[in-house]
Amino acid sequence: MSINKQNFKRFDKQVNELLEKMTLKEKIGQLNQSSKAKNPEQQKKYEDMCRNGEMGSMILAATSTAGNTDEYKVYTEYYNEFQKIAVNESRLGIPLIFGRDVIHGHRTVFPIPLASACAFNPELVEKCYRAVAKEATAEGIHWTFSPMVDLTRDPRWGRIIEGPGEDPYVGARFAEAAVKGFQGSDEDDLANRDSLVACAKHYLGYGFSEGGRDYNTTDISGYTLQNCVLPAFRAAVNAGCATVMSSFNDINGVPVAASPYYINELLHGELGFEGFVVSDWGSIRQMIREGVARDLKECAELGIKSGVDMDMDLSCYADNLESLVNEGKLDVKYIDEAVRNVLRIKFACGLFDDPFREFVEIDKKPHIELAREIAGESMLLLKNSNNLLPLNKDEKIILAGPFSQERHSLKGSWSGDGEVSIITTMEEAITEVVDANGGSLVTVKNDIIYNKASLEFFKNDGVIVLALGEGSLVSGEANSIAEIEISENQVQLAKEAHASGKKVVGVIIGGRPLALQPIEPYLDAILYAWHCGTETAHAACDIIFGDVNPSGKSSVTFVKSTGHIPLYYNELLPAKKINSYYGTENVIRTTPGFSGYLDIPAVPMYPFGFGLSYTTFEISAPKVNTPSITVEKLKEGECIEVSVTVKNTGTRKGKETVQLYIHDIIASYIRPQKELKGFKKIELEAGEEKEITLPLGYDELGFFDERGNYLVEQGDIEIFVGDDCMTKNKTKITLL
Ligand code: NOJ
């Protein structure tokens, strides 16, 4: 597999010298992460702990779900005080590492990760996360608990917003882009002041929380784990990610944080991870509730022996590891190993040489521009009947809907530090455009939208724009919902707008891919604007009024109804011909030999990879440089090169994401109907055409068995190249 860029063991000389000098208490201190002090007594206690070398890290938050709220802010002076004590007053002067949930933005908020993944533009994602790192480190934060790379197939799960969607390949590209953005791409970049230590989370399988209910148990086969869940973590590790967070969940009855297999063997062993693992908040002690430990001491023993190096809050390690060693139940080698992992990263990020931070004022204007750019690439044009969009800038607009004057929700969940005051509402953004261009805007205020008074407004001349969707408090941690249909009162509003005979544009603000079937018939155009951060409204208007040609492609399937879940494009080939993902829209009744549903067709509402543009593209039949290749040659690094010509056949400049899927026709395991194995986003002038080539090598053409053996098997493989996963544009190669 790919070259592993982890090289944190290069600090082991310094690490081991320091370790030699440490007492058991000081070692355990390095494994203890406290939260912010909640009262003066706790403040005093924490100061003493720093003085005594009993704290290795602080999470700058007071509660475990702090990223969903505005309850706290960062204060550089606050933690410098602790740092001074740790560095100047403790025996060995080991600096603390300060962590915080800087997930998809700090002061400037970028799109939720699910949306950013839809940009299919890793270079742009990397730039954005670089900007995030600059803002966060300018306020002294060393370490972020991001990127979240949990693959999920369940849009009921509130935390779907935080990850890259349903596809392992997109997940992997997103993971490495985010890590490089936070940490820099060279080995030594981590020591730069504007680098933020990244943390790939939640290791492992958290996105499979049963029923989409947060913190629920997960049941994942080894086959799915290896092929779908692990790739993003592997990519994060290969990109040099310095830390990993273990997840709350169990897999098949074994809490991940109590599993030497998942952490020691798989993460450190197979994936070659050399950094440290932090637990999720209080997840060491939760093993009592899960019924795998009798008391806190057993929790601590399970956690440390499994390879969880640092205990996030609630002091389970701090209170129990010493007695475990003294009672002979725990070999100190486990503690030494964990301390080594932590110290390596403290050396790698330069904390010993440069432990203090001061607040630095930075110019955020370029970040806001970047936020607007990526938001424009992340939004999805899902419908555009009769090319209703883009609208003319001198159009008369009637704006209604619960999100027309909303600011906060546009930021999305996990954006506690994002400045709300700099967010523009849809009403303000539309006003900016129409006022400057001779158009007009009438807004139906939120207090009357759901009563008949709105009907009066719909009698005005113009185009109706409805700002619809869901708020940011129905997604994120512990915010799952059972039904993902867009709300009934919004459907009613759209119905009334449609009944007026005017054209209706729906701008959907959402954290998850909502089920839009009930509303779709009443909307002539649908722009899925997600929770795209600070610049959501500006970016939506850039698209609505044609300054930006939409290019987002969905990194997740849009189901027709909640009952469709789980529905994902890379499903395994079924036993009988079914009317499912790749079925037929108008076939809903099953006949012998078919499965699917009796009541609705099982095809998606919008498939993975889908998104319209204001122009059209033609992708030629794929050609390969050779129709066959031996597995040995692939192993030696040779590739099959797949080429297509892409032509912009419309009248506007635009960007297209060319997507390459494979299907392994006969294999020793049932393989997915389609699997994404490459993509390239290109920009073409009207009429322009370009040839693009995508490589398929050893890493792309095989799969893992349930035990983690990588298999590249001889036989035929279909290669599809198109503009979404439904493409039938294909060729075939043979592996010899
Ligand atoms: C719990 C969440 O699961 C995790 O993602 C987050 O980083 C921690 N809390 C810290 O806030």
Side-chain angles (χ1 to χ4, degrees), residues 6 87 159 163 188 222 231 236 270 314 336 342 405 432 710 726:
Q6 296 258 316
V87 173
R159 304 199 77 170
D188 293 328
E270 276 184 43
L314 304 180
D336 285 352
V342 171
Q405 291 156 305
E432 282 173 24
Y710 190 65
M726 306 307 271

Side-chain angles (χ1 to χ4, degrees), residues 602-616:
V603 294
M605 182 82 197
Y606 304 108
F608 175 86
F610 176 75
L612 300 168
S613 160
Y614 293 151
T615 187
T616 46

Side-chain angles (χ1 to χ4, degrees), residues 437-491:
N437 292 283
S440 68
L441 173 70
V442 176
T443 306
V444 185
K445 299 289 176 196
N446 275 349
D447 48 348
I448 62 164
I449 51 169
Y450 294 136
N451 65 38
K452 295 285 167 199
S454 59
L455 292 181
E456 281 307 307
F457 285 90
F458 293 154
K459 286 182 186 154
N460 285 301
D461 272 357
V463 175
I464 299 172
V465 175
L466 299 180
L468 307 167
E470 62 173 8
S472 55
L473 296 179
V474 291
S475 60
E477 186 171 355
N479 289 330
S480 295
I481 55 175
E483 286 174 10
I484 64 159
E485 276 71 19
I486 194 158
S487 71
E488 182 45 43
N489 50 7
Q490 298 190 65
V491 176

Side-chain angles (χ1 to χ4, degrees), residues 271-333:
L271 268 53
F273 177 63
E274 296 179 358
F276 73 88
V277 176
V278 62
S279 77
D280 203 340
W281 190 293
S283 67
I284 299 296
R285 58 170 59 203
Q286 81 186 19
M287 293 174 202
I288 296 179
R289 202 177 37 248
E290 291 173 313
V292 296
R294 260 175 291 265
D295 51 28
L296 293 173
K297 205 180 266 185
E298 278 190 15
C299 293
E301 185 180 347
L302 281 170
I304 194 82
K305 285 187 172 166
S306 303
V308 179
D309 302 309
M310 187 181 278
D311 177 20
M312 181 186 282
D313 202 50
L314 304 180
S315 65
C316 193
Y317 280 5
D319 297 342
N320 295 288
L321 289 182
E322 189 176 4
S323 49
L324 278 167
V325 174
N326 292 340
E327 287 162 19
K329 290 188 180 145
L330 180 69
D331 191 325
V332 80
K333 74 173 189 204

Side-chain angles (χ1 to χ4, degrees), residues 99-274:
R100 186 170 178 81
D101 289 293
V102 181
I103 306 298
H104 54 103
H106 187 53
R107 301 301 179 195
T108 309
V109 183
F110 292 84
I112 52 169
L114 180 62
S116 291
C118 296
F120 276 78
N121 191 340
E123 293 78 23
L124 187 56
V125 169
E126 184 178 333
K127 270 196 207 165
C128 294
Y129 282 77
R130 189 85 290 279
V132 177
K134 282 189 177 156
E135 288 191 9
T137 53
E139 295 186 27
I141 299 166
H142 303 137
W143 175 27
T144 176
F145 304 112
S146 180
M148 191 271 230
V149 294
D150 296 318
L151 180 139
T152 188
R153 297 166 170 174
D154 199 330
R156 293 171 297 185
W157 190 48
R159 304 199 77 170
I160 189 172
I161 75 128
E162 284 176 67
E166 73 189 33
D167 180 57
Y169 186 83
V170 171
R173 300 293 76 78
F174 178 86
E176 64 202 13
V179 169
K180 284 200 232 152
F182 284 140
Q183 298 192 163
S185 37
D186 290 334
E187 198 169 83
D188 293 328
D189 285 350
L190 199 56
N192 295 342
R193 265 215 168 181
D194 66 0
S195 288
L196 197 55
V197 175
C199 181
K201 70 184 190 186
H202 305 81
Y203 184 87
L204 188 67
Y206 183 36
F208 279 66
S209 290
E210 208 166 79
R213 302 195 294 282
D214 209 3
Y215 314 131
N216 210 0
T217 184
T218 76
D219 200 298
I220 313 174
S221 72
Y223 188 47
T224 300
L225 196 81
Q226 288 287 342
N227 289 293
C228 302
V229 182
L230 266 180
F233 287 97
R234 192 186 297 273
V237 168
N238 286 350
C241 191
T243 73
V244 165
M245 185 185 292
S246 62
S247 54
F248 286 127
N249 59 289
D250 68 287
I251 300 180
N252 310 338
V254 179
V256 175
S259 161
Y261 169 67
Y262 292 123
I263 301 178
N264 286 334
E265 283 184 43
L266 205 53
L267 180 63
H268 286 296
E270 276 184 43
L271 268 53
F273 177 63
E274 296 179 358

